[in-house]
Amino acid sequence: MKLHVFLCLSLSLVHTPLAVARPQSNAVWAADSAIARGQGNGLDSNGNPIVSYEHGELQWGLRQLFEVTGNQTYFNYIQTGVNNIVLPNGTVHGSYKDL
Ligand SMILES: *[C@@H]1O[C@H](CO)[C@@H](O)[C@H](O)[C@H]1NC(C)=O
Ligand SMILES: *[C@@H]1O[C@H](CO)[C@@H](O)[C@H](O)[C@H]1NC(C)=O
């Protein structure tokens, strides 16, 4: 038992620097990576508004991450993405048609 505790402590000490450098979860890691690349922000590669299924899927994932973590960063990113495609009068940029 003492050996087991010693091994666990030793392993956690060895892994401490790595654990500090890594994000708290793979979901956070993936989300931060996508945000750093500006993915799913409602803009195409030329910076023009685009209504995109993929952007919506990323934003849905960020919403779930926001609900779990309460981290406002994710909410703000979603809001920015929506503001990029929805005009102040509520209409949507481009040729998007509500069916
Ligand atoms: C929220 O998430 C961002 C991006 O991962 C991170 O930089 C920030 O420290 C987080 N804020 C809190 C309060 O955890
Ligand atoms: C909403 O605003 C845009 C940009 O000003 C305009 O082109 C569009 O006609 C407006 N739509 C409505 C329903 O007012």
Side-chain angles (χ1 to χ4, degrees), residues 54-72:
E54 289 79 10
H55 289 210
E57 282 296 311
L58 178 70
Q59 291 172 4
W60 177 249
L62 291 178
R63 175 184 165 167
Q64 292 179 310
L65 193 56
F66 167 68
E67 288 173 355
V68 169
T69 64
N71 188 325
Q72 196 69 25

Side-chain angles (χ1 to χ4, degrees), residues 13-92:
L13 287 176
V14 165
H15 286 175
T16 297
L18 198 60
V20 169
R22 292 184 59 150
Q24 60 190 352
S25 75
N26 287 337
V28 168
W29 202 356
D32 291 351
S33 175
I35 288 172
R37 290 191 303 274
Q39 289 183 308
N41 66 355
L43 301 175
D44 66 16
S45 56
N46 294 319
N48 298 315
I50 182 173
V51 176
S52 155
Y53 175 82
E54 289 79 10
H55 289 210
E57 282 296 311
L58 178 70
Q59 291 172 4
W60 177 249
L62 291 178
R63 175 184 165 167
Q64 292 179 310
L65 193 56
F66 167 68
E67 288 173 355
V68 169
T69 64
N71 188 325
Q72 196 69 25
T73 298
Y74 304 121
F75 180 89
N76 293 344
Y77 194 79
I78 297 164
Q79 189 171 46
T80 298
V82 171
N83 287 341
N84 281 335
I85 61 168
V86 181
L87 297 170
N89 65 12
T91 58
V92 179

